[in-house]
Each structure stands twice: as structure tokens, then as C-alpha cells.
Amino acid sequence: MDTAVVRQIDPNALPATSDLGTRLLGMPLKAKVSLGVGLAALAAVVFALSLWSSQGDYKVLYANLSDKDGGAIIAQLAQMNVPYRHADGGAAILVPSSQVHDVRLKLASAGLPKGSVVGFELTDTARFGLTQFGERLNFQRGLEGELTRSITALAAVQGARVHLALPNQNGFFREQQKPSASVLLTLHPGRTLDRAQVAGIVHLVASSVAELSPKAVSVIDQTGALLSGPSDAVATSGLDAQQLQYVSQVEQGYTRRIVELLEPVVGRDNLRASVAAEIDFSQTESTSELFKPNQGEAAEKTVRSQQSSEVAGSGTVPAAGVPGAMSNQPPQVATAPITGPAAPLQTAQLGGSGGATGRRESVTNYEVDKTVRVTRNATGSVKRLNAAVVVNNRSTTDAKGKTTTQPLSPEELDKLTALVRESVGFNQERGDSVKVVNAPFRQETPVLTELPLWKQPELIDLVRALAVPGALGVVALLVVFGLVRPALKAARSGKTSGKTLNAVVQDEESLPPVPGGALPVLEAPRSTVQLDQVRHLARQNPAAVAGIVRDWVSGEQAA
């Protein structure tokens, strides 16, 4: 190398720039890239937070939809640009709470949800050229749909299907077939239908179809059990559901009476009662007739029928009898106590010259007292009762707060037994049994298992609610402290480093001689003259000035 010049230049000799754009342009490429990436990441975080906060909470739009209706609703929501979510394994569709009512109205205008049941709206879209068979089929489908909607309106019915068999009526047939119907019910879990409700469903279907007899309607549940049947049918395989329900109601009623009567005496949760009732559901009917005669002469007599006949004639009475004095006398007057005073039946003239003959008969029938008695025994009468009651020991607390238990005395048990007998209507003749026993109750302390903090539902919900904004906040902090802050720090350090850097310049051009032979040390410019000297140096030796600036930016001191 020809010349090696070492110059010390104070960076304060350069003018300080206050423009932010100039500072950013003077930053290194690595710092510029870091600052750009950081600002882009911050913008993405802010956009994600605004998008998440604008969605808000979701509410149920429709629940318990069929797959067909769910797919149609989701397709319609996609066309309407409405965000949605699934819940309960896809059984419910959720939309933002602020749009629930608007979306429902818009879907209703589009005919959604259609449901698996269609009614008489089938006739609204009648096609031209529809055959008579098609009209009959649409009418039958519409009638089945309307009946299904009416039946599913019941509280205990979850779903229903109605099948109608409507034969074609033709005037050329001598014997017309009668329609029939079948109803399949799907009940809610834990719900049942009593006999009156089943009869109501049967009559609803029978009244909706012309010439349909209630006996031709069959109703079954989801288990295949026949719910409908003739009202006078006698169960041969035990009690039916209605009878079992009645027995349960009777037993619960007696148990409630016992508990309400003894709880004020022994205290709450200090007794257990159970009543078993034997109910007689047999139906018996007896008829008896009782005949009583008319008592006394003064008793009123009712004539049922009366018949009388009289025969009269004239002629000679032939001689009869044993000759003598008796045969020469006329006959005695006959008497008839039943028919009243007797009339002369025949007369005879002395001398046997001639006379008159006659006969009268009268028959009177009277009504006899008759009593016909028909007795029907009531069904569901109590045949026998068995009541069992367990009473806890009496607990007493002393002045020190210590609790002790003592058994009840026999006199107290007798009083409780008498109360129980009176409450259930004890009848010894029908074989009722009441038993009251005193025994200590076992007090089991429930073991409370503390749920860990990280498993508590409140904490889980809070974490779910704060997970998205918390994660976005952490990302924003990492971007600020990892990318943006180092870039800004590098920009500030590049502006004023505060150090004197040495530059080793290898250049063929030699500097102008300086008096005294010493290399001048350039100090920070204090006036315009010094600033002009620095500019002159930059024009004379640009490579040296460029090296000095490069060392300032990199933060290294020139050798």
C-alpha cells in the first residue's frame, strides 16, 4: 500500500437528522426487516382481536333438527353469510345472539325448517295434469301430516307417525271397505299416557277421517306395546299400566299421610314409612228378585186381570137322588167365597112342572209385590293394607353441646302406632297390618372430594373465554419486545453513537500537507468553516468518509 492514513473523526461533526423517515432509511437492512415483520404481526393481532370481539356470544337457532333440515339450514346460512357453530354433537345450530331473530324470520320466509312432516300445504303447489290417484295420494299425505302435527302437540309425545288406510270408494261395490288407521308414538323419557289420553288420540284420528270407527284405530308406543283397545277388555295377564298407576297413587297417598302426621312429633328426617296396598280390581254384578204377599185385608190390592162368565137356561129339573123327603125339596143355595155373594144357580118349582137353570163363574188375578235388586261392586277397592314405619331414636343435647340418642319408650311406640292406624283407616276385619319399630338411623357423613382448581367448571369457562385474547396479547408482546423494540433501538444508536471511530483508508491519493508534519485531528465542527472543511474532505477522499460511516452504522471502532 502506498499510503496509510489514520483519521479520527467525531460523529458529532455530522449534522443530526430529526426526520423519522431519514432515520428509518438510515437503518441497516436487518433492522428494517425486523421492524416490518413486527408491525405486520401487530396489525394481524389487532385484526384478530377485533374479529373475535365482533362475533360475540352464540345462541341456539334451532335444536333437534333432522339431518335433512340441518343441511338445508346450513346451506342457507352460508348463502346469507351468517357465521354459525354446532353444539351437542351437531344436534343444535348456533348463531350470534344479535342475529338469532333476524335469521329465524329469514329462514321462515324461505320455508325452513321444513320438517319431516308435511300437511295440506301439498295442495298449494298442485301441478297441471295431476291424475286422480295423485290427488288422492296428496290428500292422504296431507291428512297424515296434519294428524301428526296435532298429536305431537301433546306434552308427553316427542314424535308421532300416522298411517291411514283409505280404500277407494266405488258405487259399484256391494260391500264397501271401511278405513283404518295406525298411530306410532314416541314418548319423552319418563313420560306415560293414561287411558283417557290414549282414548283422546283415538277419537281425534277417528273424527278426522270420514266413516272411520274408533275400533279401527290402533295406537302403539316406541316399544311396540299396544296402548289402545276396547274399554271393556279384561286384562288376563295381570294389572295394566293404569291399574299399576292407581295402586302406586294409593300407596303414596297413605305414606304421605303417615309422614305428615308423625313428622311434627319425631322431627324431620327421623322416620321412614312404607305402605303396601292390595287393591281389588275385579268387577262383580248380582241380581236378586224378592216376592212379598199382600199383608192383611186392609192392604191395597192391585187387580192384574179379571174374567167372569154366566150361563142361564130354562127347563124341567129331572128327578135325582134317593126317593124320599130329601129328593122332593129344592137344592140349597151354593156359595162362592172367592167371587162374593152367590146368586141362585137353579130353582125348582114344587110339583115338578118346570123351572130355570143357570151358572156364573168369575176369576180375578191380583199383582204380587216383587223387588228386583242389581248390585255392582266398585272396582279398585282396598282389599288389604300393610303399613311399616321406622322411627329414629330421640336425640338430646346437654348444656355442653354433647348430643346423645335414647330409644323410645313402649308407651310412645303405642301412641305412634295408634296414630298410624287412624291415618290409614285400619280395619282388622279385612286383615290390615300396622307395625311401628324404633331403631337408630345410621348417619353417614358424605365424603366431599375437593375438585382440583384446574378442573373447576368456572375456571375452565374463564380460561376458554380468555384464551383467545390472552394468546393474542402474548403474541403482541413478543412482537413488540422481540422485533419492534430492537429495530427502534438500532435506529437510535445509529443516529448518535457518541464514540470516536478510527478509519484506516488505503488510497493512492495523498492528503494535502499540513504544516508541522502532524496529522490534524478533526474536531467537531463549531462553525460553518469547519463544516466546509469536512465537506471538502468528503469530496477529496470519499472512500475514507464512506468507511467511517460504515463503521458508525456497524458500531465497530476502526483500527
Side-chain angles (χ1 to χ4, degrees):
M1 93 184 41
D2 297 337
T3 59
V5 181
V6 178
R7 295 184 179 276
Q8 295 181 353
I9 301 176
D10 193 352
N12 292 328
L14 296 177
T17 59
S18 58
D19 190 9
L20 180 59
T22 307
R23 295 180 184 179
L24 295 178
L25 292 176
M27 292 172 55
L29 180 61
K30 182 178 180 181
K32 292 181 181 180
V33 172
S34 300
L35 182 60
V37 173
L39 294 177
L42 285 178
V45 170
V46 173
F47 177 75
L49 282 174
S50 60
L51 183 62
W52 179 82
S53 60
S54 63
Q55 292 181 357
D57 56 341
Y58 280 69
K59 289 188 178 180
V60 177
L61 179 66
Y62 292 109
N64 300 325
L65 293 173
S66 61
D67 295 339
K68 184 177 181 180
D69 288 340
I73 290 175
I74 289 177
Q76 189 69 21
L77 292 177
Q79 294 180 1
M80 297 166 56
N81 295 326
V82 176
Y84 62 88
R85 294 179 184 176
H86 295 284
D88 299 335
I93 299 178
L94 286 75
V95 297
S97 58
S98 59
Q99 303 180 13
V100 171
H101 302 288
D102 295 339
V103 172
R104 284 181 180 175
L105 294 177
K106 292 180 181 178
L107 292 177
S109 63
L112 294 175
K114 295 181 179 180
S116 58
V117 179
V118 292
F120 283 129
E121 60 268 15
L122 285 173
T123 59
D124 297 338
T125 57
R127 296 170 301 183
F128 180 76
L130 188 63
T131 61
Q132 184 179 4
F133 175 77
E135 292 180 354
R136 291 179 55 253
L137 184 60
N138 288 341
F139 173 76
Q140 181 174 346
R141 289 180 57 194
L143 185 57
E144 291 176 351
E146 296 295 335
L147 289 174
T148 301
R149 291 174 179 175
S150 301
I151 294 174
T152 51
L154 299 177
V157 179
Q158 183 178 5
R161 295 194 65 183
V162 179
H163 303 278
L164 298 178
L166 304 179
N168 186 15
Q169 301 295 334
N170 195 334
F172 296 98
F173 294 159
R174 179 173 299 176
E175 295 182 358
Q176 301 289 344
Q177 296 181 356
K178 299 297 181 181
S180 60
S182 301
V183 181
L184 174 62
L185 301 179
T186 302
L187 304 179
H188 288 285
R191 300 287 187 89
T192 57
L193 292 177
D194 55 14
R195 186 173 299 175
Q197 291 175 322
V198 175
I201 294 175
V202 171
H203 284 278
L204 172 66
V205 177
S207 302
S208 302
V209 181
E211 298 183 2
L212 177 59
S213 174
K215 296 181 180 180
V217 180
S218 301
V219 181
I220 62 175
D221 59 2
Q222 67 269 24
T223 61
L226 181 64
L227 302 180
S228 63
S231 58
D232 55 349
V234 180
T236 59
S237 60
L239 302 180
D240 57 6
Q242 186 72 15
Q243 293 174 349
L244 291 175
Q245 185 178 4
Y246 177 75
V247 173
S248 177
Q249 290 177 357
V250 171
E251 293 177 350
Q252 291 177 3
Y254 282 117
T255 303
R256 185 170 57 254
R257 290 182 187 178
I258 296 174
V259 173
E260 292 178 354
L261 185 63
L262 298 185
E263 267 191 352
V265 179
V266 300
R268 187 177 180 86
D269 296 334
N270 284 328
L271 79 155
R272 297 292 184 271
S274 175
V275 177
E278 185 178 350
I279 308 298
D280 185 12
F281 291 101
S282 60
Q283 298 180 358
T284 59
E285 181 178 349
S286 61
T287 304
S288 62
E289 295 184 1
L290 183 62
F291 295 91
K292 293 182 180 180
N294 296 325
Q295 303 295 331
E297 295 294 337
E300 296 182 358
K301 300 177 182 179
T302 303
V303 178
R304 180 179 181 183
S305 62
Q306 186 176 7
Q307 181 180 2
S308 62
S309 62
E310 182 177 353
V311 178
S314 62
T316 304
V317 179
V322 181
M326 295 298 295
S327 62
N328 295 329
Q329 296 178 359
Q332 299 292 331
V333 179
T335 60
I338 298 178
T339 59
L345 296 178
Q346 61 181 2
T347 59
Q349 296 180 356
L350 296 176
S353 61
T357 61
R359 184 179 62 184
R360 177 181 294 175
E361 294 181 358
S362 178
V363 178
T364 304
N365 295 324
Y366 296 93
E367 288 287 353
V368 181
D369 292 345
K370 177 183 178 182
T371 303
V372 179
R373 183 174 300 167
V374 180
T375 305
R376 293 185 180 91
N377 292 335
T379 60
S381 59
V382 178
K383 190 176 181 180
R384 185 180 178 183
L385 286 177
N386 295 326
V389 181
V390 180
V391 183
N392 191 14
N393 290 342
R394 182 189 298 107
S395 59
T396 58
T397 305
D398 55 8
K400 297 182 180 180
K402 184 178 181 181
T403 303
T404 58
T405 58
Q406 297 178 357
L408 301 180
S409 62
E411 292 79 7
E412 293 176 338
L413 289 178
D414 294 340
K415 293 180 181 180
L416 296 178
T417 303
L419 290 177
V420 174
R421 288 182 176 180
E422 293 296 331
S423 64
V424 300
F426 179 79
N427 189 357
Q428 189 174 1
E429 295 179 358
R430 66 184 181 186
D432 294 350
S433 174
V434 174
K435 189 67 175 178
V436 179
V437 178
N438 176 221
F441 287 4
R442 179 178 297 178
Q443 301 293 338
E444 295 182 358
T445 304
V447 179
L448 299 178
T449 303
E450 294 184 359
L451 195 65
L453 183 62
W454 57 276
K455 287 186 177 181
Q456 293 182 0
E458 295 82 2
L459 182 61
I460 294 176
D461 296 338
L462 182 61
V463 170
R464 289 177 178 176
L466 299 179
V468 175
L472 295 177
V474 171
V475 172
L477 292 176
L478 293 177
V479 169
V480 170
F481 290 98
L483 298 177
V484 178
R485 186 179 179 183
L488 297 177
K489 186 177 180 180
R492 289 194 301 268
S493 63
K495 172 188 173 184
T496 55
S497 61
K499 296 181 181 179
T500 302
L501 301 179
N502 298 326
V504 178
V505 181
Q506 296 180 0
D507 197 356
E508 296 180 356
E509 184 179 357
S510 59
L511 296 177
V514 179
L519 185 65
V521 178
L522 299 178
E523 297 180 356
R526 301 298 181 182
S527 63
T528 306
V529 178
Q530 295 177 348
L531 182 58
D532 294 338
Q533 293 178 358
V534 173
R535 291 175 179 174
H536 178 72
L537 178 62
R539 285 194 299 268
Q540 295 296 330
N541 197 347
V545 176
I548 295 172
V549 174
R550 183 173 60 252
D551 292 339
W552 288 350
V553 173
S554 62
E556 298 178 358
Q557 186 174 1

Short mmCIF file of all heavy atoms in Angstrom, two decimals, residues 4-53:
data_model
loop_
_atom_site.label_atom_id
_atom_site.label_comp_id
_atom_site.label_asym_id
_atom_site.label_seq_id
_atom_site.Cartn_x
_atom_site.Cartn_y
_atom_site.Cartn_z
N ALA A 4 -1.05 5.01 4.13
CA ALA A 4 -1.99 4.54 5.17
C ALA A 4 -2.29 5.70 6.07
O ALA A 4 -1.42 6.18 6.80
CB ALA A 4 -1.40 3.38 5.97
N VAL A 5 -3.45 6.16 5.97
CA VAL A 5 -3.84 7.34 6.73
C VAL A 5 -4.84 6.92 7.79
O VAL A 5 -5.83 6.22 7.50
CB VAL A 5 -4.47 8.39 5.81
CG1 VAL A 5 -4.87 9.63 6.61
CG2 VAL A 5 -3.50 8.75 4.71
N VAL A 6 -4.57 7.31 8.98
CA VAL A 6 -5.47 7.04 10.11
C VAL A 6 -6.05 8.36 10.55
O VAL A 6 -5.31 9.26 10.92
CB VAL A 6 -4.72 6.36 11.28
CG1 VAL A 6 -5.67 6.13 12.44
CG2 VAL A 6 -4.10 5.05 10.82
N ARG A 7 -7.39 8.42 10.49
CA ARG A 7 -8.05 9.66 10.87
C ARG A 7 -9.07 9.35 11.97
O ARG A 7 -9.76 8.35 11.95
CB ARG A 7 -8.77 10.30 9.68
CG ARG A 7 -7.80 10.74 8.60
CD ARG A 7 -8.54 11.45 7.50
NE ARG A 7 -7.63 11.90 6.47
CZ ARG A 7 -6.95 13.04 6.51
NH1 ARG A 7 -7.05 13.84 7.55
NH2 ARG A 7 -6.14 13.38 5.52
N GLN A 8 -9.14 10.24 12.88
CA GLN A 8 -10.14 10.16 13.95
C GLN A 8 -11.15 11.28 13.73
O GLN A 8 -10.81 12.44 13.71
CB GLN A 8 -9.48 10.32 15.31
CG GLN A 8 -8.53 9.19 15.66
CD GLN A 8 -7.90 9.38 17.03
OE1 GLN A 8 -8.09 10.42 17.65
NE2 GLN A 8 -7.15 8.37 17.47
N ILE A 9 -12.41 10.83 13.54
CA ILE A 9 -13.48 11.79 13.26
C ILE A 9 -14.57 11.58 14.29
O ILE A 9 -15.02 10.45 14.54
CB ILE A 9 -14.04 11.59 11.85
CG1 ILE A 9 -12.92 11.78 10.81
CG2 ILE A 9 -15.18 12.55 11.58
CD1 ILE A 9 -13.35 11.51 9.40
N ASP A 10 -14.96 12.59 14.91
CA ASP A 10 -16.05 12.55 15.88
C ASP A 10 -17.37 12.53 15.13
O ASP A 10 -17.60 13.37 14.25
CB ASP A 10 -15.99 13.78 16.79
CG ASP A 10 -16.89 13.62 17.99
OD1 ASP A 10 -17.65 12.62 18.02
OD2 ASP A 10 -16.84 14.49 18.89
N PRO A 11 -18.26 11.61 15.43
CA PRO A 11 -19.55 11.58 14.70
C PRO A 11 -20.39 12.79 14.98
O PRO A 11 -21.30 13.08 14.24
CB PRO A 11 -20.22 10.30 15.23
CG PRO A 11 -19.55 10.00 16.52
CD PRO A 11 -18.15 10.50 16.40
N ASN A 12 -20.12 13.51 16.07
CA ASN A 12 -20.91 14.72 16.31
C ASN A 12 -20.64 15.80 15.28
O ASN A 12 -21.33 16.81 15.23
CB ASN A 12 -20.63 15.27 17.71
CG ASN A 12 -21.15 14.32 18.79
OD1 ASN A 12 -22.15 13.66 18.57
ND2 ASN A 12 -20.45 14.28 19.92
N ALA A 13 -19.49 15.55 14.50
CA ALA A 13 -19.20 16.53 13.46
C ALA A 13 -20.23 16.53 12.36
O ALA A 13 -20.35 17.46 11.61
CB ALA A 13 -17.82 16.28 12.88
N LEU A 14 -21.02 15.37 12.26
CA LEU A 14 -22.05 15.28 11.22
C LEU A 14 -23.34 15.88 11.74
O LEU A 14 -23.64 15.86 12.93
CB LEU A 14 -22.28 13.82 10.82
CG LEU A 14 -21.07 13.13 10.18
CD1 LEU A 14 -21.39 11.68 9.90
CD2 LEU A 14 -20.64 13.85 8.92
N PRO A 15 -24.14 16.41 10.87
CA PRO A 15 -25.39 17.03 11.31
C PRO A 15 -26.37 15.98 11.79
O PRO A 15 -26.47 14.89 11.24
CB PRO A 15 -25.90 17.74 10.06
CG PRO A 15 -25.30 17.00 8.93
CD PRO A 15 -23.96 16.54 9.39
N ALA A 16 -27.12 16.26 12.88
CA ALA A 16 -28.14 15.36 13.44
C ALA A 16 -29.43 15.55 12.68
O ALA A 16 -29.90 16.66 12.47
CB ALA A 16 -28.35 15.66 14.92
N THR A 17 -29.99 14.42 12.24
CA THR A 17 -31.24 14.44 11.49
C THR A 17 -32.39 14.21 12.43
O THR A 17 -32.39 13.29 13.25
CB THR A 17 -31.22 13.35 10.41
OG1 THR A 17 -31.06 12.10 11.02
CG2 THR A 17 -30.11 13.62 9.42
N SER A 18 -33.42 15.00 12.29
CA SER A 18 -34.60 14.87 13.15
C SER A 18 -35.78 14.26 12.43
O SER A 18 -36.83 14.01 13.02
CB SER A 18 -35.01 16.24 13.69
OG SER A 18 -35.27 17.12 12.60
N ASP A 19 -35.65 14.02 11.17
CA ASP A 19 -36.75 13.43 10.42
C ASP A 19 -36.80 11.93 10.67
O ASP A 19 -35.78 11.23 10.57
CB ASP A 19 -36.55 13.72 8.94
CG ASP A 19 -37.79 13.33 8.14
OD1 ASP A 19 -38.83 13.01 8.78
OD2 ASP A 19 -37.72 13.35 6.91
N LEU A 20 -38.06 11.39 10.97
CA LEU A 20 -38.20 9.95 11.24
C LEU A 20 -37.96 9.13 9.99
O LEU A 20 -37.36 8.04 10.06
CB LEU A 20 -39.60 9.66 11.79
CG LEU A 20 -39.92 8.20 12.14
CD1 LEU A 20 -38.96 7.68 13.19
CD2 LEU A 20 -41.37 8.05 12.59
N GLY A 21 -38.38 9.63 8.84
CA GLY A 21 -38.15 8.89 7.61
C GLY A 21 -36.67 8.75 7.31
O GLY A 21 -36.22 7.70 6.86
N THR A 22 -35.91 9.81 7.56
CA THR A 22 -34.47 9.72 7.33
C THR A 22 -33.82 8.71 8.26
O THR A 22 -32.92 7.96 7.89
CB THR A 22 -33.83 11.10 7.52
OG1 THR A 22 -34.52 12.04 6.69
CG2 THR A 22 -32.36 11.08 7.16
N ARG A 23 -34.31 8.66 9.49
CA ARG A 23 -33.77 7.68 10.43
C ARG A 23 -34.06 6.26 9.98
O ARG A 23 -33.21 5.38 10.08
CB ARG A 23 -34.36 7.90 11.82
CG ARG A 23 -33.98 9.23 12.46
CD ARG A 23 -34.61 9.35 13.83
NE ARG A 23 -34.34 10.63 14.45
CZ ARG A 23 -34.80 11.00 15.64
NH1 ARG A 23 -35.58 10.15 16.33
NH2 ARG A 23 -34.51 12.18 16.14
N LEU A 24 -35.28 6.05 9.53
CA LEU A 24 -35.62 4.69 9.10
C LEU A 24 -34.84 4.29 7.87
O LEU A 24 -34.44 3.13 7.73
CB LEU A 24 -37.13 4.60 8.83
CG LEU A 24 -38.05 4.79 10.04
CD1 LEU A 24 -39.51 4.73 9.62
CD2 LEU A 24 -37.77 3.74 11.12
N LEU A 25 -34.64 5.23 6.97
CA LEU A 25 -33.86 4.90 5.78
C LEU A 25 -32.40 4.62 6.11
O LEU A 25 -31.72 3.88 5.41
CB LEU A 25 -33.96 6.04 4.77
CG LEU A 25 -35.35 6.24 4.14
CD1 LEU A 25 -35.34 7.46 3.23
CD2 LEU A 25 -35.76 5.00 3.37
N GLY A 26 -31.89 5.25 7.16
CA GLY A 26 -30.50 5.03 7.53
C GLY A 26 -30.28 3.78 8.34
O GLY A 26 -29.14 3.49 8.72
N MET A 27 -31.34 3.02 8.66
CA MET A 27 -31.19 1.79 9.45
C MET A 27 -30.63 0.67 8.60
O MET A 27 -30.78 0.66 7.38
CB MET A 27 -32.57 1.35 10.00
CG MET A 27 -33.16 2.28 11.05
SD MET A 27 -34.85 1.82 11.47
CE MET A 27 -34.60 0.11 11.92
N PRO A 28 -29.98 -0.31 9.24
CA PRO A 28 -29.48 -1.48 8.48
C PRO A 28 -30.63 -2.29 7.92
O PRO A 28 -31.79 -2.17 8.34
CB PRO A 28 -28.69 -2.28 9.53
CG PRO A 28 -28.42 -1.33 10.64
CD PRO A 28 -29.55 -0.35 10.64
N LEU A 29 -30.32 -3.12 6.94
CA LEU A 29 -31.36 -3.94 6.30
C LEU A 29 -31.99 -4.92 7.29
O LEU A 29 -33.21 -5.14 7.27
CB LEU A 29 -30.73 -4.70 5.12
CG LEU A 29 -31.69 -5.61 4.34
CD1 LEU A 29 -32.82 -4.78 3.73
CD2 LEU A 29 -30.93 -6.36 3.25
N LYS A 30 -31.21 -5.49 8.17
CA LYS A 30 -31.75 -6.45 9.15
C LYS A 30 -32.73 -5.78 10.08
O LYS A 30 -33.79 -6.32 10.40
CB LYS A 30 -30.59 -7.07 9.94
CG LYS A 30 -31.03 -8.12 10.94
CD LYS A 30 -29.82 -8.71 11.65
CE LYS A 30 -30.27 -9.76 12.66
NZ LYS A 30 -29.10 -10.35 13.38
N ALA A 31 -32.39 -4.55 10.52
CA ALA A 31 -33.30 -3.82 11.40
C ALA A 31 -34.58 -3.44 10.67
O ALA A 31 -35.69 -3.47 11.24
CB ALA A 31 -32.61 -2.59 11.96
N LYS A 32 -34.46 -3.06 9.39
CA LYS A 32 -35.66 -2.73 8.63
C LYS A 32 -36.58 -3.93 8.48
O LYS A 32 -37.80 -3.81 8.62
CB LYS A 32 -35.25 -2.20 7.25
CG LYS A 32 -34.55 -0.85 7.27
CD LYS A 32 -34.20 -0.41 5.86
CE LYS A 32 -33.48 0.94 5.86
NZ LYS A 32 -33.13 1.37 4.48
N VAL A 33 -36.02 -5.10 8.21
CA VAL A 33 -36.84 -6.31 8.05
C VAL A 33 -37.53 -6.67 9.37
O VAL A 33 -38.72 -7.01 9.41
CB VAL A 33 -35.97 -7.49 7.55
CG1 VAL A 33 -36.76 -8.79 7.57
CG2 VAL A 33 -35.46 -7.19 6.15
N SER A 34 -36.79 -6.56 10.49
CA SER A 34 -37.38 -6.87 11.79
C SER A 34 -38.52 -5.91 12.13
O SER A 34 -39.58 -6.32 12.62
CB SER A 34 -36.31 -6.80 12.88
OG SER A 34 -35.28 -7.73 12.63
N LEU A 35 -38.31 -4.62 11.83
CA LEU A 35 -39.36 -3.65 12.11
C LEU A 35 -40.59 -3.89 11.24
O LEU A 35 -41.73 -3.81 11.72
CB LEU A 35 -38.81 -2.24 11.87
CG LEU A 35 -39.79 -1.09 12.16
CD1 LEU A 35 -40.23 -1.12 13.62
CD2 LEU A 35 -39.14 0.26 11.81
N GLY A 36 -40.40 -4.24 9.98
CA GLY A 36 -41.54 -4.51 9.10
C GLY A 36 -42.34 -5.73 9.53
O GLY A 36 -43.57 -5.73 9.56
N VAL A 37 -41.60 -6.81 9.87
CA VAL A 37 -42.28 -8.03 10.33
C VAL A 37 -43.03 -7.77 11.63
O VAL A 37 -44.16 -8.24 11.84
CB VAL A 37 -41.26 -9.16 10.48
CG1 VAL A 37 -41.91 -10.39 11.13
CG2 VAL A 37 -40.68 -9.54 9.13
N GLY A 38 -42.44 -7.02 12.54
CA GLY A 38 -43.10 -6.73 13.81
C GLY A 38 -44.37 -5.92 13.64
O GLY A 38 -45.40 -6.21 14.26
N LEU A 39 -44.30 -4.88 12.78
CA LEU A 39 -45.50 -4.08 12.54
C LEU A 39 -46.60 -4.90 11.88
O LEU A 39 -47.79 -4.77 12.20
CB LEU A 39 -45.15 -2.87 11.68
CG LEU A 39 -44.23 -1.83 12.34
CD1 LEU A 39 -43.90 -0.71 11.37
CD2 LEU A 39 -44.86 -1.27 13.61
N ALA A 40 -46.23 -5.79 10.93
CA ALA A 40 -47.24 -6.65 10.29
C ALA A 40 -47.87 -7.61 11.29
O ALA A 40 -49.08 -7.85 11.27
CB ALA A 40 -46.60 -7.42 9.14
N ALA A 41 -47.04 -8.16 12.19
CA ALA A 41 -47.59 -9.06 13.21
C ALA A 41 -48.52 -8.33 14.15
O ALA A 41 -49.57 -8.85 14.54
CB ALA A 41 -46.45 -9.72 13.99
N LEU A 42 -48.16 -7.12 14.55
CA LEU A 42 -49.05 -6.34 15.42
C LEU A 42 -50.37 -6.03 14.72
O LEU A 42 -51.45 -6.09 15.34
CB LEU A 42 -48.35 -5.03 15.82
CG LEU A 42 -47.26 -5.15 16.89
CD1 LEU A 42 -46.63 -3.79 17.15
CD2 LEU A 42 -47.82 -5.72 18.19
N ALA A 43 -50.30 -5.71 13.45
CA ALA A 43 -51.55 -5.45 12.72
C ALA A 43 -52.42 -6.71 12.66
O ALA A 43 -53.65 -6.63 12.79
CB ALA A 43 -51.22 -4.96 11.31
N ALA A 44 -51.79 -7.88 12.46
CA ALA A 44 -52.57 -9.13 12.44
C ALA A 44 -53.21 -9.42 13.79
O ALA A 44 -54.36 -9.88 13.87
CB ALA A 44 -51.66 -10.29 12.02
N VAL A 45 -52.47 -9.15 14.88
CA VAL A 45 -53.03 -9.37 16.23
C VAL A 45 -54.21 -8.46 16.48
O VAL A 45 -55.25 -8.87 17.00
CB VAL A 45 -51.92 -9.18 17.28
CG1 VAL A 45 -52.53 -9.15 18.68
CG2 VAL A 45 -50.90 -10.30 17.19
N VAL A 46 -54.08 -7.19 16.10
CA VAL A 46 -55.19 -6.26 16.30
C VAL A 46 -56.40 -6.66 15.47
O VAL A 46 -57.55 -6.61 15.94
CB VAL A 46 -54.72 -4.83 15.94
CG1 VAL A 46 -55.90 -3.87 15.95
CG2 VAL A 46 -53.65 -4.36 16.91
N PHE A 47 -56.17 -7.12 14.24
CA PHE A 47 -57.29 -7.55 13.40
C PHE A 47 -57.97 -8.79 13.99
O PHE A 47 -59.21 -8.90 13.98
CB PHE A 47 -56.78 -7.85 11.99
CG PHE A 47 -57.84 -8.36 11.06
CD1 PHE A 47 -58.79 -7.50 10.53
CD2 PHE A 47 -57.89 -9.71 10.72
CE1 PHE A 47 -59.77 -7.98 9.68
CE2 PHE A 47 -58.87 -10.18 9.87
CZ PHE A 47 -59.81 -9.31 9.35
N ALA A 48 -57.19 -9.73 14.49
CA ALA A 48 -57.78 -10.93 15.10
C ALA A 48 -58.58 -10.60 16.35
O ALA A 48 -59.67 -11.16 16.58
CB ALA A 48 -56.68 -11.95 15.44
N LEU A 49 -58.08 -9.68 17.16
CA LEU A 49 -58.84 -9.27 18.35
C LEU A 49 -60.14 -8.59 17.97
O LEU A 49 -61.20 -8.84 18.58
CB LEU A 49 -57.98 -8.32 19.20
CG LEU A 49 -56.89 -8.97 20.07
CD1 LEU A 49 -56.04 -7.90 20.74
CD2 LEU A 49 -57.52 -9.87 21.13
N SER A 50 -60.11 -7.73 16.99
CA SER A 50 -61.35 -7.05 16.57
C SER A 50 -62.34 -8.04 15.98
O SER A 50 -63.55 -7.96 16.22
CB SER A 50 -61.02 -5.97 15.55
OG SER A 50 -60.40 -6.54 14.40
N LEU A 51 -61.85 -9.03 15.21
CA LEU A 51 -62.75 -10.04 14.64
C LEU A 51 -63.36 -10.92 15.72
O LEU A 51 -64.55 -11.25 15.68
CB LEU A 51 -61.97 -10.89 13.62
CG LEU A 51 -62.78 -11.96 12.88
CD1 LEU A 51 -63.88 -11.30 12.05
CD2 LEU A 51 -61.87 -12.81 12.00
N TRP A 52 -62.55 -11.31 16.71
CA TRP A 52 -63.06 -12.16 17.78
C TRP A 52 -64.08 -11.42 18.64
O TRP A 52 -65.09 -11.99 19.06
CB TRP A 52 -61.89 -12.65 18.63
CG TRP A 52 -62.32 -13.52 19.76
CD1 TRP A 52 -62.59 -14.85 19.74
CD2 TRP A 52 -62.53 -13.12 21.13
NE1 TRP A 52 -62.95 -15.31 20.97
CE2 TRP A 52 -62.92 -14.26 21.85
CE3 TRP A 52 -62.42 -11.90 21.80
CZ2 TRP A 52 -63.20 -14.22 23.20
CZ3 TRP A 52 -62.70 -11.87 23.14
CH2 TRP A 52 -63.08 -13.01 23.84
N SER A 53 -63.80 -10.14 18.91
CA SER A 53 -64.73 -9.39 19.75
C SER A 53 -66.01 -9.04 19.01
O SER A 53 -67.06 -8.85 19.63
CB SER A 53 -64.05 -8.10 20.24
OG SER A 53 -63.67 -7.29 19.13
#
